[in-house]
Amino acid sequence: MARKRFDDSKCSVARALNEVGDWWSLLIVLHAMYGTRRFVDFQQQLGIAKNILCDRLAKLVDNDVLRKVDVGEHGSRFEYRLTEKGRDLFPVVVALRQWGDKWNPTPEGLPLDLRDRETSQPIQQVTVQSSDGKTLTIRDVFDYEQTH
Amino acid sequence: MARKRFDDSKCSVARALNEVGDWWSLLIVLHAMYGTRRFVDFQQQLGIAKNILCDRLAKLVDNDVLRKVDVGEHGSRFEYRLTEKGRDLFPVVVALRQWGDKWNPTPEGLPLDLRDRETSQPIQQVTVQSSDGKTLTIRDVFDYEQTH
DNA sequence: CAATAGGGTTGCTTTACGAAACCAAATTGA
DNA sequence: TCAATTTGGTTTCGTAAAGCAACCCTATTG
Protein backbone atom coordinates (compact mmCIF):
# COMPACT_ATOMS: atom_id res chain seq x y z
CA MET A 1 0.00 0.00 0.00
CA ALA A 2 1.07 3.54 -0.54
CA ARG A 3 2.93 5.48 2.04
CA LYS A 4 0.62 7.04 4.50
CA ARG A 5 -0.08 10.69 3.98
CA PHE A 6 -1.11 13.11 6.65
CA ASP A 7 -2.87 15.82 4.66
CA ASP A 8 -6.03 15.49 6.62
CA SER A 9 -4.64 14.37 9.92
CA LYS A 10 -6.14 15.98 12.96
CA CYS A 11 -2.59 16.46 14.24
CA SER A 12 -1.04 19.69 13.02
CA VAL A 13 2.45 18.29 13.50
CA ALA A 14 1.56 15.50 11.12
CA ARG A 15 0.20 17.97 8.59
CA ALA A 16 3.34 20.06 8.94
CA LEU A 17 5.56 17.02 8.43
CA ASN A 18 3.55 16.25 5.34
CA GLU A 19 4.89 19.46 3.80
CA VAL A 20 8.43 19.71 5.12
CA GLY A 21 9.00 16.37 6.80
CA ASP A 22 11.01 14.60 4.14
CA TRP A 23 14.75 14.36 3.78
CA TRP A 24 15.28 17.31 1.51
CA SER A 25 12.54 19.89 1.97
CA LEU A 26 13.71 21.39 5.23
CA LEU A 27 17.29 21.53 3.96
CA ILE A 28 16.08 23.45 0.93
CA VAL A 29 14.22 25.86 3.19
CA LEU A 30 17.34 26.21 5.33
CA HIS A 31 19.47 27.11 2.34
CA ALA A 32 16.80 29.50 1.14
CA MET A 33 17.22 31.22 4.50
CA TYR A 34 20.95 31.32 3.96
CA GLY A 35 20.14 33.31 0.81
CA THR A 36 20.11 30.70 -1.96
CA ARG A 37 17.54 31.35 -4.66
CA ARG A 38 18.65 29.70 -7.87
CA PHE A 39 18.10 26.14 -8.99
CA VAL A 40 21.75 25.43 -9.73
CA ASP A 41 22.89 26.93 -6.44
CA PHE A 42 20.54 24.69 -4.48
CA GLN A 43 21.76 21.76 -6.50
CA GLN A 44 25.43 22.37 -5.91
CA GLN A 45 25.15 23.32 -2.26
CA LEU A 46 22.95 20.37 -1.36
CA GLY A 47 24.44 17.80 -3.71
CA ILE A 48 20.91 16.75 -4.66
CA ALA A 49 19.92 15.16 -7.95
CA LYS A 50 18.28 17.58 -10.30
CA ASN A 51 15.01 15.71 -10.65
CA ILE A 52 14.58 15.42 -6.90
CA LEU A 53 15.31 19.11 -6.48
CA CYS A 54 12.81 19.80 -9.23
CA ASP A 55 10.18 17.75 -7.48
CA ARG A 56 10.79 19.24 -4.04
CA LEU A 57 10.82 22.81 -5.28
CA ALA A 58 7.53 22.19 -7.05
CA LYS A 59 5.99 20.73 -3.91
CA LEU A 60 7.24 23.57 -1.76
CA VAL A 61 5.78 26.02 -4.26
CA ASP A 62 2.52 24.07 -4.25
CA ASN A 63 2.42 24.27 -0.48
CA ASP A 64 3.15 27.99 -0.58
CA VAL A 65 6.45 27.69 1.26
CA LEU A 66 8.39 28.99 -1.72
CA ARG A 67 7.41 31.32 -4.53
CA LYS A 68 8.69 30.82 -8.07
CA VAL A 69 9.59 34.22 -9.45
CA ASP A 70 10.35 34.91 -13.08
CA VAL A 71 13.44 37.07 -13.18
CA GLY A 72 14.43 36.54 -16.82
CA GLU A 73 14.45 39.33 -19.36
CA HIS A 74 12.26 37.34 -21.67
CA GLY A 75 11.14 34.65 -19.28
CA SER A 76 12.73 31.31 -18.47
CA ARG A 77 14.94 32.51 -15.64
CA PHE A 78 13.50 31.75 -12.21
CA GLU A 79 14.26 32.26 -8.58
CA TYR A 80 12.74 30.45 -5.64
CA ARG A 81 12.05 32.74 -2.71
CA LEU A 82 10.61 32.10 0.70
CA THR A 83 7.04 33.19 1.30
CA GLU A 84 5.92 34.44 4.68
CA LYS A 85 4.86 30.89 5.42
CA GLY A 86 8.34 29.70 4.55
CA ARG A 87 10.03 32.41 6.59
CA ASP A 88 7.85 31.38 9.49
CA LEU A 89 9.80 28.12 9.64
CA PHE A 90 12.74 30.09 11.00
CA PRO A 91 12.24 29.05 14.65
CA VAL A 92 11.84 25.43 13.59
CA VAL A 93 15.07 25.45 11.64
CA VAL A 94 17.03 27.25 14.32
CA ALA A 95 15.70 24.96 17.05
CA LEU A 96 16.69 21.95 14.97
CA ARG A 97 20.12 23.37 14.32
CA GLN A 98 20.70 24.08 17.99
CA TRP A 99 19.60 20.57 18.83
CA GLY A 100 21.99 19.13 16.26
CA ASP A 101 24.84 21.30 17.49
CA LYS A 102 24.24 20.25 21.07
CA TRP A 103 23.76 16.53 20.65
CA ASN A 104 25.67 15.76 17.46
CA PRO A 105 28.53 18.23 17.40
CA THR A 106 31.02 18.07 14.57
CA PRO A 107 34.07 15.91 15.21
CA GLU A 108 36.11 19.07 14.99
CA GLY A 109 34.05 20.38 17.86
CA LEU A 110 33.64 23.97 16.78
CA PRO A 111 30.31 25.21 18.11
CA LEU A 112 29.94 27.84 15.36
CA ASP A 113 26.93 29.37 17.01
CA LEU A 114 24.47 31.76 15.44
CA ARG A 115 24.75 35.43 16.23
CA ASP A 116 22.68 38.55 16.03
CA ARG A 117 24.42 40.32 13.15
CA GLU A 118 23.68 43.72 14.64
CA THR A 119 25.23 43.17 18.04
CA SER A 120 27.43 40.15 17.23
CA GLN A 121 26.05 38.51 20.35
CA PRO A 122 25.17 34.82 20.24
CA ILE A 123 21.44 34.23 19.99
CA GLN A 124 19.52 32.53 22.75
CA GLN A 125 18.57 28.91 22.83
CA VAL A 126 15.10 28.53 21.33
CA THR A 127 12.71 27.63 24.12
CA VAL A 128 9.04 27.25 24.83
CA GLN A 129 7.86 30.08 27.05
CA SER A 130 4.83 30.87 29.15
CA SER A 131 2.95 34.12 28.68
CA ASP A 132 5.14 35.76 31.31
CA GLY A 133 8.38 34.60 29.76
CA LYS A 134 9.24 31.59 31.89
CA THR A 135 10.84 28.66 30.08
CA LEU A 136 8.49 25.71 29.99
CA THR A 137 9.29 22.00 29.97
CA ILE A 138 7.25 19.17 28.51
CA ARG A 139 5.73 18.57 31.92
CA ASP A 140 4.44 22.13 32.09
CA VAL A 141 2.53 21.79 28.84
CA PHE A 142 1.66 18.14 28.30
CA ASP A 143 0.40 15.56 30.72
CA TYR A 144 3.80 13.95 30.71
CA GLU A 145 5.50 12.38 33.65
CA GLN A 146 9.02 11.12 33.81
CA THR A 147 9.85 8.65 36.55
CA HIS A 148 13.48 9.10 35.61
CA MET B 1 22.17 4.57 -5.99
CA ALA B 2 21.33 4.54 -2.35
CA ARG B 3 19.62 7.41 -0.65
CA LYS B 4 21.97 10.01 0.61
CA ARG B 5 22.78 9.97 4.27
CA PHE B 6 23.93 12.93 6.29
CA ASP B 7 25.72 11.29 9.21
CA ASP B 8 28.92 13.14 8.56
CA SER B 9 27.55 16.31 7.05
CA LYS B 10 29.14 19.52 8.20
CA CYS B 11 25.62 20.90 8.56
CA SER B 12 24.10 20.17 11.94
CA VAL B 13 20.59 20.52 10.56
CA ALA B 14 21.41 17.75 8.10
CA ARG B 15 22.75 15.57 10.90
CA ALA B 16 19.66 16.28 12.96
CA LEU B 17 17.39 15.37 10.07
CA ASN B 18 19.34 12.17 9.71
CA GLU B 19 18.04 11.14 13.13
CA VAL B 20 14.53 12.55 13.24
CA GLY B 21 13.93 13.73 9.68
CA ASP B 22 11.86 10.90 8.34
CA TRP B 23 8.11 10.61 8.22
CA TRP B 24 7.59 8.79 11.47
CA SER B 25 10.36 9.55 13.93
CA LEU B 26 9.28 13.00 14.97
CA LEU B 27 5.67 11.86 15.33
CA ILE B 28 6.86 9.10 17.63
CA VAL B 29 8.79 11.63 19.69
CA LEU B 30 5.72 13.86 19.78
CA HIS B 31 3.54 11.08 21.11
CA ALA B 32 6.21 10.17 23.61
CA MET B 33 5.90 13.74 24.85
CA TYR B 34 2.15 13.32 25.07
CA GLY B 35 2.91 10.45 27.43
CA THR B 36 2.84 7.36 25.23
CA ARG B 37 5.37 4.73 26.23
CA ARG B 38 4.19 1.34 25.04
CA PHE B 39 4.66 -0.31 21.68
CA VAL B 40 0.98 -1.03 21.10
CA ASP B 41 -0.07 2.45 22.14
CA PHE B 42 2.30 4.01 19.63
CA GLN B 43 1.04 1.63 17.00
CA GLN B 44 -2.62 2.36 17.56
CA GLN B 45 -2.27 6.11 17.99
CA LEU B 46 -0.08 6.54 14.94
CA GLY B 47 -1.63 3.89 12.72
CA ILE B 48 1.86 2.75 11.77
CA ALA B 49 2.79 -0.74 10.57
CA LYS B 50 4.43 -2.80 13.27
CA ASN B 51 7.67 -3.50 11.49
CA ILE B 52 8.12 0.18 10.69
CA LEU B 53 7.44 1.12 14.28
CA CYS B 54 9.87 -1.55 15.34
CA ASP B 55 12.53 -0.15 13.07
CA ARG B 56 11.98 3.48 14.08
CA LEU B 57 11.98 2.73 17.80
CA ALA B 58 15.23 0.83 17.41
CA LYS B 59 16.81 3.70 15.51
CA LEU B 60 15.63 6.26 18.04
CA VAL B 61 17.06 4.10 20.81
CA ASP B 62 20.32 3.77 18.85
CA ASN B 63 20.48 7.52 18.50
CA ASP B 64 19.81 7.97 22.21
CA VAL B 65 16.55 9.83 21.67
CA LEU B 66 14.55 7.10 23.41
CA ARG B 67 15.50 4.62 26.09
CA LYS B 68 14.12 1.08 26.13
CA VAL B 69 13.22 0.22 29.68
CA ASP B 70 12.39 -3.27 30.89
CA VAL B 71 9.33 -2.95 33.10
CA GLY B 72 8.25 -6.60 33.15
CA GLU B 73 8.50 -8.80 36.17
CA HIS B 74 10.57 -11.37 34.32
CA GLY B 75 11.43 -9.43 31.19
CA SER B 76 9.53 -9.00 27.93
CA ARG B 77 7.57 -5.94 29.00
CA PHE B 78 9.11 -2.76 27.70
CA GLU B 79 8.56 0.94 27.69
CA TYR B 80 10.13 3.55 25.48
CA ARG B 81 10.94 6.74 27.33
CA LEU B 82 12.45 9.97 26.18
CA THR B 83 16.04 10.63 27.11
CA GLU B 84 17.26 14.14 27.86
CA LYS B 85 18.28 14.35 24.22
CA GLY B 86 14.76 13.38 23.23
CA ARG B 87 13.14 15.81 25.64
CA ASP B 88 15.38 18.49 24.17
CA LEU B 89 13.35 18.23 20.97
CA PHE B 90 10.48 19.91 22.78
CA PRO B 91 11.03 23.36 21.23
CA VAL B 92 11.33 21.80 17.77
CA VAL B 93 8.07 19.94 18.13
CA VAL B 94 6.20 22.90 19.57
CA ALA B 95 7.54 25.25 16.90
CA LEU B 96 6.44 22.79 14.24
CA ARG B 97 3.03 22.41 15.80
CA GLN B 98 2.53 26.15 15.99
CA TRP B 99 3.58 26.46 12.37
CA GLY B 100 1.13 23.76 11.37
CA ASP B 101 -1.67 25.34 13.38
CA LYS B 102 -1.03 28.73 11.83
CA TRP B 103 -0.63 27.75 8.20
CA ASN B 104 -2.60 24.53 7.92
CA PRO B 105 -5.40 24.88 10.42
CA THR B 106 -7.92 22.11 10.72
CA PRO B 107 -11.00 22.43 8.57
CA GLU B 108 -12.98 22.73 11.76
CA GLY B 109 -10.84 25.73 12.57
CA LEU B 110 -10.40 25.25 16.27
CA PRO B 111 -7.02 26.69 17.27
CA LEU B 112 -6.65 24.28 20.19
CA ASP B 113 -3.58 26.07 21.47
CA LEU B 114 -1.13 24.81 24.02
CA ARG B 115 -1.32 26.08 27.55
CA ASP B 116 0.81 26.29 30.63
CA ARG B 117 -0.93 23.74 32.82
CA GLU B 118 -0.10 25.66 35.96
CA THR B 119 -1.60 28.99 34.96
CA SER B 120 -3.87 27.81 32.12
CA GLN B 121 -2.48 30.66 30.04
CA PRO B 122 -1.67 30.00 26.37
CA ILE B 123 2.02 29.59 25.77
CA GLN B 124 3.96 32.06 23.66
CA GLN B 125 4.83 31.58 20.04
CA VAL B 126 8.28 29.96 19.83
CA THR B 127 10.70 32.56 18.47
CA VAL B 128 14.38 33.11 17.94
CA GLN B 129 15.64 35.69 20.39
CA SER B 130 18.73 37.82 20.83
CA SER B 131 20.67 37.79 24.08
CA ASP B 132 18.58 40.68 25.36
CA GLY B 133 15.28 39.04 24.50
CA LYS B 134 14.37 40.73 21.23
CA THR B 135 12.68 38.56 18.64
CA LEU B 136 14.99 38.02 15.67
CA THR B 137 14.10 37.49 12.03
CA ILE B 138 16.04 35.62 9.39
CA ARG B 139 17.63 38.86 8.29
CA ASP B 140 18.99 39.51 11.79
CA VAL B 141 20.84 36.21 11.84
CA PHE B 142 21.63 35.18 8.29
CA ASP B 143 22.87 37.22 5.36
CA TYR B 144 19.43 37.04 3.83
CA GLU B 145 17.73 39.74 1.85
CA GLN B 146 14.20 39.75 0.63
CA THR B 147 13.33 42.08 -2.24
CA HIS B 148 9.74 41.43 -1.46
C1' DC C 1 -5.97 -22.20 28.45
C1' DA C 2 -7.14 -17.86 26.02
C1' DA C 3 -5.77 -13.32 25.24
C1' DT C 4 -2.45 -9.76 25.02
C1' DA C 5 2.22 -7.54 24.54
C1' DG C 6 6.27 -7.17 21.88
C1' DG C 7 8.10 -8.04 18.48
C1' DG C 8 10.31 -10.78 13.79
C1' DT C 9 9.67 -12.48 8.90
C1' DT C 10 7.91 -12.69 4.25
C1' DG C 11 5.88 -10.86 0.18
C1' DC C 12 4.43 -7.23 -2.35
C1' DT C 13 3.64 -2.29 -3.93
C1' DT C 14 4.98 2.40 -3.93
C1' DT C 15 8.25 5.89 -3.44
C1' DA C 16 12.78 8.11 -3.34
C1' DC C 17 16.73 8.65 -5.57
C1' DG C 18 20.73 9.32 -8.86
C1' DA C 19 22.34 9.15 -13.61
C1' DA C 20 21.69 10.61 -17.76
C1' DA C 21 19.17 12.05 -21.68
C1' DC C 22 16.61 15.79 -23.21
C1' DC C 23 15.07 20.57 -24.36
C1' DA C 24 14.33 25.53 -24.81
C1' DA C 25 16.33 29.96 -24.18
C1' DA C 26 20.43 32.61 -23.80
C1' DT C 27 25.08 33.41 -24.81
C1' DT C 28 29.33 33.01 -27.27
C1' DG C 29 32.09 33.33 -31.14
C1' DA C 30 33.44 33.30 -36.01
C1' DT D 1 24.38 35.85 -38.87
C1' DC D 2 24.30 31.44 -37.79
C1' DA D 3 26.23 27.45 -35.80
C1' DA D 4 28.19 25.99 -31.15
C1' DT D 5 28.03 26.05 -26.46
C1' DT D 6 26.24 27.13 -21.96
C1' DT D 7 22.51 27.83 -18.62
C1' DG D 8 18.44 26.39 -16.27
C1' DG D 9 15.42 23.12 -15.78
C1' DT D 10 12.39 18.73 -17.06
C1' DT D 11 11.71 13.91 -18.27
C1' DT D 12 12.93 9.12 -18.46
C1' DC D 13 14.68 5.07 -16.50
C1' DG D 14 16.48 1.59 -13.44
C1' DT D 15 17.43 0.53 -8.75
C1' DA D 16 17.30 0.76 -3.75
C1' DA D 17 14.68 1.68 -0.05
C1' DA D 18 10.25 2.66 2.47
C1' DG D 19 6.09 1.11 3.53
C1' DC D 20 1.91 -1.92 4.55
C1' DA D 21 -0.42 -6.34 5.38
C1' DA D 22 -0.45 -10.74 7.03
C1' DC D 23 1.35 -14.42 9.39
C1' DC D 24 4.37 -16.33 13.02
C1' DC D 25 6.56 -16.78 17.48
C1' DT D 26 7.53 -16.34 22.48
C1' DA D 27 6.48 -14.79 26.96
C1' DT D 28 3.38 -12.78 30.03
C1' DT D 29 -1.13 -11.76 31.93
C1' DG D 30 -5.54 -13.21 33.45
Side-chain angles (χ1 to χ4, degrees):
Chain A
M1 180 176 283
R3 147 178 282 152
K4 188 162 299 193
R5 281 281 140 65
F6 303 109
D7 313 82
D8 54 350
S9 170
K10 275 170 291 287
C11 174
S12 63
V13 176
R15 292 197 309 277
L17 288 174
N18 204 40
E19 299 193 349
V20 294
D22 69 298
W23 293 89
W24 287 116
S25 295
L26 211 56
L27 285 178
I28 292 173
V29 170
L30 170 70
H31 278 77
M33 289 179 181
Y34 288 162
T36 304
R37 293 177 172 191
R38 306 286 289 276
F39 187 93
V40 280
D41 294 332
F42 282 114
Q43 206 216 322
Q44 291 173 357
Q45 290 167 23
L46 292 169
I48 183 177
K50 295 208 289 182
N51 56 343
I52 303 298
L53 177 58
C54 205
D55 178 76
R56 291 303 182 282
L57 287 173
K59 277 184 185 162
L60 288 170
V61 169
D62 271 354
N63 290 326
D64 198 33
V65 173
L66 295 179
R67 215 167 70 253
K68 186 172 183 175
V69 180
D70 192 330
V71 294
E73 309 295 301
H74 325 75
S76 178
R77 278 305 186 270
F78 301 106
E79 285 186 355
Y80 297 89
R81 301 187 192 164
L82 289 169
T83 61
E84 190 194 343
K85 180 177 176 181
R87 267 174 271 142
D88 240 15
L89 282 168
F90 187 48
V92 175
V93 168
V94 171
L96 204 56
R97 172 158 168 172
Q98 289 176 337
W99 185 80
D101 282 334
K102 177 174 179 182
W103 293 102
N104 295 97
T106 65
E108 299 83 40
L110 38 147
L112 218 288
D113 51 1
L114 301 174
R115 289 171 181 275
D116 182 352
R117 295 169 67 210
E118 191 182 346
T119 65
S120 295
Q121 293 293 307
I123 67 173
Q124 285 188 31
Q125 200 71 20
V126 173
T127 59
V128 179
Q129 296 183 354
S130 64
S131 53
D132 57 345
K134 284 203 318 285
T135 297
L136 298 173
T137 67
I138 300 175
R139 232 165 314 237
D140 297 319
V141 177
F142 297 132
D143 186 18
Y144 171 85
E145 51 180 292
Q146 184 80 1
T147 50
H148 195 85
Chain B
M1 182 176 281
R3 148 177 279 150
K4 188 162 298 192
R5 281 280 139 65
F6 302 108
D7 313 84
D8 55 349
S9 169
K10 275 171 289 286
C11 174
S12 62
V13 176
R15 294 197 307 279
L17 289 173
N18 205 40
E19 299 193 350
V20 294
D22 69 297
W23 293 89
W24 288 116
S25 295
L26 212 56
L27 285 179
I28 292 173
V29 169
L30 170 70
H31 277 78
M33 289 179 181
Y34 288 162
T36 304
R37 293 178 172 190
R38 307 285 289 275
F39 187 93
V40 281
D41 294 333
F42 282 114
Q43 207 216 322
Q44 291 174 357
Q45 290 169 21
L46 293 170
I48 183 177
K50 292 205 292 180
N51 55 345
I52 304 296
L53 178 58
C54 205
D55 177 76
R56 290 304 181 280
L57 288 173
K59 277 184 185 162
L60 288 169
V61 168
D62 272 353
N63 289 327
D64 199 32
V65 173
L66 295 178
R67 218 166 68 251
K68 186 173 184 175
V69 181
D70 190 332
V71 294
E73 308 295 301
H74 325 75
S76 180
R77 275 300 185 275
F78 302 105
E79 284 186 357
Y80 297 89
R81 301 187 192 165
L82 289 168
T83 61
E84 190 195 342
K85 181 177 176 182
R87 267 174 271 143
D88 241 14
L89 283 168
F90 186 48
V92 176
V93 168
V94 172
L96 205 57
R97 172 158 167 172
Q98 290 177 335
W99 185 81
D101 281 334
K102 177 172 178 183
W103 293 100
N104 294 96
T106 66
E108 298 82 41
L110 37 148
L112 220 286
D113 51 0
L114 302 174
R115 289 172 181 273
D116 181 352
R117 294 169 66 210
E118 192 181 347
T119 66
S120 296
Q121 292 294 307
I123 66 173
Q124 286 189 30
Q125 201 71 18
V126 173
T127 59
V128 179
Q129 295 183 353
S130 65
S131 53
D132 58 343
K134 284 203 316 287
T135 295
L136 298 173
T137 67
I138 300 176
R139 233 166 314 238
D140 297 319
V141 176
F142 297 132
D143 186 17
Y144 171 86
E145 52 181 292
Q146 184 80 1
T147 51
H148 194 261

